[in-house]
Amino acid sequence: MSPSDEESRLIRAAQSGDISAFATLVQRHHAGVRACLAVRLANSHDAEDLAQEAFVTAFRKLADCDPNRPIGPWLRGIAMNLLANHRRKFRALPIGLNEELQALIDNGLPSHLPAERENAALEALRDCLDQIEGPSRLLLQARYAEGMSLDELAQRLQRKTSAVSMQLHRLRVVIGDCVEATLRGTPPATTPS
Amino acid sequence: MNTMQWQTLAARAAEGTLSVEEGVQLLALCRESEEARVALMRVLTVERLLPLALSDPSGQYAAREVAMRLQQPDTASIQAAWRSAEKARRWLWQKHLRWVAAAAAIVLMLTGGAWWLDQIHTPAATLSRSEGIVWTGAAPSLKSSDLAKDTRLRAQAGLVELAFESGARMVLEGPFDVELKDGMHAYLHSGRISVRCPPSAHGFSVETTEGIAVDRGTEFCVHMVQGAAMEVHVLSGVVDVTAKNSGPTTTLFDNEGLRIHGPSIERIDADANTFVTSMPVSAGRAPGYIHWSFDEINAGTVVNNGKDLGVDGQARLDLLSYPDKVPTPGKGPQLIEGVSGKGLSLDGKAVYAESPFPGIGGTASRTVALWVRIPKELNKDSVYGHGIISWGSLTGPNAWQMSANTIVQDGPVGRLRLGIYDNGRIVGTTDLRDNQWHHIAVVMYGGSRASIATNVMLYVDGKPEIVTRKTRTEINTDVLNAGHGLWLGRNVAFPDPVRNGDPGPRFFKGDVDEVFIFNAALSHEEINTLMRTHHAPQ
């Protein structure tokens, strides 16, 4: 598949040093690159930092990029290389301090979401989120956009931390089902509320 | 698959709080059940994509940051650029080139991104949420939450949260007057604001007539009194503050503050308790409540129609005549025609009502709403004695009392007042002394830094009440040491037994109906529903 004429023009302009053209490419491909990093990293800040690093690296290597081919996979390749280096340098503690469980998750997530499907999953997730309103939406917003901890949320909602944790878990399950159904092209019979 | 066990373990795995034992259990579950493994992958995928899905959908901030970094090829990152700028600024400062240094530091940060911002014709900010807002003049268009550059927002009361194009989030507390210059710059004419800046909003600035505060990745608050002083309070991170009239740039770190008034610059401690730093979050559940409609009374006791608050019959309401301790038919407050069915009339001499329900304590969220009719003759000479509904103890600011104000020094007489004793109070604007029914409500948003100034909203007849006076006193209602339950129509400062030297009875004169107490902070919309229907919002 060849890229659109506009994307080819943007790549050529960026190759000649036009940062604003490259910024437009970043804007278009940020979600895809970040999503493929996000599902492979437990820390969302690390995923954000690596995505930014991937684009800066990509700009410096733009001469290697073929304007006649889609830039998405090329950017994704750079991001995956950076991820491999990151894992070598910063070995995070495994989930539950259990190496086997971590390996199961590390292998399971990419196979659960095949290559380059992360962006589609992100799009589906956004669609599913649009169907969530009211207190559940506010809770998700506070936790994931504002970065409030479970304890902060519990204090604010005057509930036990465990109760907030389970409410968030139920939301993740409902959203996960919705995403899965959307990706299969069969939206769920009942939408989350 | 053991569903309950899996739910708990999967929730902890997603949150990163799985213990060693739980890690072993989850691994075992995933090995024995493919269904459990697939479900775990699904949940983890959602957990990891949610922060991305809820932020920067257009990729604009990411593009801007990348562009800024590419503009500075010799530095590895924005943070490194800042560190260089800081070093240069300190060196120049030592060389007495203070103004050059200040400008250099700001310009270095802003120039990288300024051109990019100019390329994009986007609004300066969007109005993400508001609560009980009373605009001054024209309200922003309701057709779109987008606010164009140079929009000026003025409000007399309420809370607003703005999401700036740069990613900065600002909470404004009425009254305020602010101009949104662009996605990275706001001009505060007056009012209190708090700002939280993610990395994409580094360099965000708040300007006033007195000076300018420039963010360097932080959470900070600004208070500007028009024609007077500007205060900057840094809650976390670093902020550079430059006075308009004099002096160098001052760098403030966590918990540091600065007051600027003309040539006077004074260091102060940051006081987070006096600012609203985040918008109230609704309870996320149906709240428990007490409801006394006065339509059903058994042997001098009002039946509670509420649910999930005041267990074991605690929430009955005994109609009493002081000093009697038990309801005596014909002696307590009298039933009258109310707003809906029967209401209760209190004579201001010796009648009141008491519930064993002790009230809502500590810093917990709450809402108290009722209809009230207050006689025209209430005046400052009716000093004290006008607690409409109250609970808590008088050992410090540990009480909770709604009344019509009668203390001239605290604010206009006859206005809705919430007092927490020991000089903690907030007073509204609407004169309630017209012998007409008014719906009044007080909403408190809970939290560890609950202050009567920042966490309480007053409503009269379903509208947010403009506040005339308030103190910045922390709320921590003590229901354990009050020695009595909730009182209706009796001032919390009139103890039992009566102390020597007390000025005599302090009872409320007026009528009440449809009293509701919720263990959650109701929204403006819910207050209106309550006023209209006399039923708790579902």
Side-chain angles (χ1 to χ4, degrees):
Chain A
M1 186 176 70
S2 62
S4 68
D5 289 348
E6 189 194 359
E7 183 148 305
S8 295
R9 271 202 305 276
L10 285 169
I11 296 169
R12 288 195 179 90
Q15 284 174 327
S16 65
D18 182 343
I19 291 179
S20 64
F22 186 67
T24 305
L25 290 168
V26 175
Q27 203 169 340
R28 284 185 184 182
H29 292 280
H30 171 259
V33 170
R34 168 88 190 272
C36 82
L37 289 165
V39 294
R40 288 164 175 80
L41 280 163
N43 185 323
S44 66
H45 299 295
D46 285 352
E48 179 63 51
D49 288 349
L50 272 184
Q52 200 185 105
E53 200 62 45
F55 284 111
V56 172
T57 305
F59 185 77
R60 291 177 184 145
K61 292 185 170 179
L62 264 178
D64 301 341
C65 178
D66 182 351
N68 298 315
R69 301 180 65 180
I71 195 172
W74 183 72
L75 288 170
R76 200 172 181 283
I78 291 173
M80 289 298 104
N81 280 336
L82 288 175
L83 175 66
N85 285 336
H86 176 83
R87 282 182 169 159
R88 271 196 293 275
K89 278 193 248 173
F90 307 101
R91 185 155 176 75
L93 285 175
I95 291 177
L97 296 177
N98 190 316
E99 296 281 358
E100 287 182 70
L101 179 63
Q102 185 67 54
L104 183 136
I105 290 168
D106 285 346
N107 296 329
L109 279 173
S111 56
H112 174 70
L113 210 57
E116 297 185 40
R117 286 284 281 165
E118 298 94 350
N119 203 17
L122 181 62
E123 290 299 317
L125 179 55
R126 285 189 173 129
D127 289 344
C128 294
L129 274 174
D130 284 344
Q131 298 165 36
I132 297 181
E133 294 174 342
S136 297
R137 176 72 188 204
L138 291 175
L139 183 65
L140 291 170
Q141 195 76 23
R143 172 73 173 150
Y144 294 103
E146 294 167 28
M148 289 181 73
S149 69
L150 284 180
D151 287 340
E152 284 174 312
L153 285 168
Q155 196 166 33
R156 178 161 288 191
L157 301 176
Q158 300 292 312
R159 302 178 66 190
K160 287 184 182 169
T161 305
S162 57
V164 176
S165 165
M166 283 319 290
Q167 190 181 350
L168 281 166
H169 171 70
R170 282 192 290 274
L171 283 168
R172 285 191 290 261
V173 170
V174 169
I175 294 168
D177 291 346
C178 175
V179 169
E180 201 80 7
T182 307
L183 288 175
R184 281 200 310 267
T186 52
T190 54
T191 53
S193 59
Chain B
M1 175 170 65
N2 181 332
T3 306
M4 269 313 292
Q5 189 189 11
W6 178 85
Q7 304 243 20
T8 307
L9 297 175
R12 296 202 181 171
E15 285 147 12
T17 56
L18 207 64
S19 69
V20 174
E21 293 78 19
E22 289 168 336
V24 173
Q25 290 168 12
L26 184 59
L27 182 63
L29 273 178
C30 288
R31 279 188 173 149
E32 74 188 37
S33 161
E34 188 183 347
E35 187 192 351
R37 193 171 64 246
V38 169
L40 178 66
M41 297 310 148
R42 193 179 292 174
V43 163
L44 289 177
T45 301
V46 171
E47 166 72 17
R48 293 178 177 192
L49 288 180
L50 270 168
L52 179 56
L54 284 163
S55 65
D56 192 18
S58 65
Q60 205 176 94
Y61 307 143
R64 182 171 159 265
E65 294 220 351
V66 169
M68 285 171 75
R69 285 184 60 178
L70 294 175
Q71 287 283 295
Q72 300 161 355
D74 296 332
T75 51
S77 67
I78 294 291
Q79 285 75 15
W82 261 113
R83 282 194 290 274
S84 306
E86 177 67 6
K87 273 186 194 167
R89 195 181 67 72
R90 286 194 176 144
W91 182 81
L92 286 167
W93 191 5
Q94 286 161 5
K95 295 285 182 189
H96 306 287
L97 289 171
R98 295 171 182 178
W99 67 272
V100 175
I106 295 167
V107 166
L108 182 60
M109 190 59 197
L110 291 179
T111 48
W115 68 270
W116 171 246
L117 283 173
D118 291 341
Q119 307 302 310
I120 307 168
H121 299 290
T122 52
T126 54
L127 197 158
S128 45
R129 280 185 291 172
S130 69
E131 192 64 47
I133 193 75
V134 182
W135 296 107
T136 305
S141 166
L142 296 176
K143 289 179 186 167
S144 163
S145 58
D146 287 347
L147 300 166
K149 291 169 186 172
D150 296 322
T151 297
R152 188 162 179 175
L153 297 176
R154 278 174 279 199
Q156 300 173 66
L159 298 173
V160 166
E161 184 185 56
L162 302 177
F164 280 79
E165 175 268 338
S166 55
R169 286 189 170 268
M170 179 184 284
V171 176
L172 303 101
E173 175 194 350
F176 61 78
D177 180 354
V178 67
E179 274 182 82
L180 316 178
K181 293 296 187 185
D182 57 46
M184 288 289 284
H185 183 198
Y187 192 100
L188 181 67
H189 293 272
S190 64
R192 307 176 76 85
I193 60 170
S194 65
V195 185
R196 190 184 288 187
C197 296
S200 59
H202 289 193
F204 186 91
S205 60
V206 176
E207 188 180 356
T208 72
T209 52
E210 298 295 303
I212 184 165
V214 181
D215 164 81
R216 287 171 42 190
T218 189
E219 184 177 10
F220 69 102
C221 304
V222 181
H223 178 203
M224 179 66 208
V225 179
Q226 197 163 28
M230 168 194 195
E231 280 183 13
V232 179
H233 300 241
V234 177
L235 308 191
S236 64
V238 190
V239 167
D240 278 341
V241 185
T242 310
K244 285 270 175 76
N245 291 332
S246 63
T249 296
T250 306
T251 300
L252 300 176
F253 297 89
D254 292 14
N255 303 318
E256 293 181 344
L258 202 70
R259 180 183 292 121
I260 305 169
H261 189 189
S264 158
I265 299 175
E266 176 194 357
R267 278 200 177 254
I268 57 176
D269 290 334
D271 187 356
N273 293 329
T274 58
F275 292 90
V276 181
T277 53
S278 57
M279 292 293 285
V281 174
S282 70
R285 63 191 156 96
Y289 66 98
I290 285 169
H291 177 205
W292 294 309
S293 71
F294 307 109
D295 296 339
E296 194 181 345
I297 295 183
N298 296 323
T301 295
V302 180
V303 174
N304 168 30
N305 299 321
K307 64 175 186 182
D308 300 335
L309 187 62
V311 292
D312 301 331
Q314 262 194 349
R316 71 171 197 273
L317 185 69
D318 297 329
L319 305 182
L320 302 172
S321 177
Y322 186 82
D324 297 344
K325 294 290 181 190
V326 290
T328 308
K331 283 187 74 179
Q334 300 300 300
L335 291 176
I336 55 166
E337 202 60 37
V339 174
S340 169
K342 298 291 183 201
L344 203 64
S345 182
L346 300 124
D347 65 8
K349 293 174 185 166
V351 302
Y352 70 108
E354 180 168 355
S355 171
F357 175 67
I360 295 170
T363 60
S365 303
R366 67 201 73 163
T367 300
V368 182
L370 67 151
W371 287 91
V372 68
R373 184 160 61 184
I374 294 174
K376 291 178 181 173
E377 63 264 28
L378 178 88
N379 58 42
K380 68 182 175 62
D381 297 326
S382 320
V383 175
Y384 307 129
H386 293 95
I388 299 173
I389 189 164
S390 56
W391 66 75
S393 96
L394 300 182
T395 53
N398 303 126
W400 174 272
Q401 175 162 274
M402 281 168 68
S403 63
N405 185 45
T406 54
I407 305 173
V408 177
Q409 302 93 299
D410 287 355
V413 173
R415 274 63 171 178
L416 176 57
R417 169 197 177 103
L418 173 74
I420 55 174
Y421 202 62
D422 212 11
N423 287 322
R425 75 261 167 186
I426 181 168
V427 180
T429 311
T430 306
D431 194 344
L432 300 167
R433 298 171 300 167
D434 56 5
N435 209 27
Q436 302 292 318
W437 285 106
H438 291 283
H439 189 257
I440 59 174
V442 174
V443 178
M444 172 178 156
Y445 303 99
S448 57
R449 298 193 305 221
S451 151
I452 196 167
T454 58
N455 287 48
V456 169
M457 294 199 67
L458 308 178
Y459 293 87
V460 174
D461 296 329
K463 292 179 186 154
E465 183 75 340
I466 295 164
V467 170
T468 50
R469 307 273 176 87
K470 63 184 173 185
T471 59
R472 299 191 174 273
T473 314
E474 205 164 316
I475 295 173
N476 192 3
T477 315
D478 177 9
V479 297
L480 299 177
N481 299 302
H484 57 79
L486 178 150
W487 281 346
L488 187 71
R490 176 173 172 175
N491 194 319
V492 73
F494 180 50
D496 190 7
V498 182
R499 294 176 299 213
N500 281 340
D502 267 325
R506 304 174 182 183
F507 297 103
F508 170 67
K509 184 177 182 183
D511 306 324
V512 295
D513 196 7
E514 302 298 336
V515 176
F516 281 88
I517 299 162
F518 293 88
N519 61 4
L522 263 55
S523 67
H524 183 193
E525 194 180 345
E526 288 170 328
I527 295 286
N528 272 310
T529 303
L530 192 64
M531 180 180 75
R532 281 197 314 272
T533 65
H534 314 304
H535 286 104
Q538 297 304 307

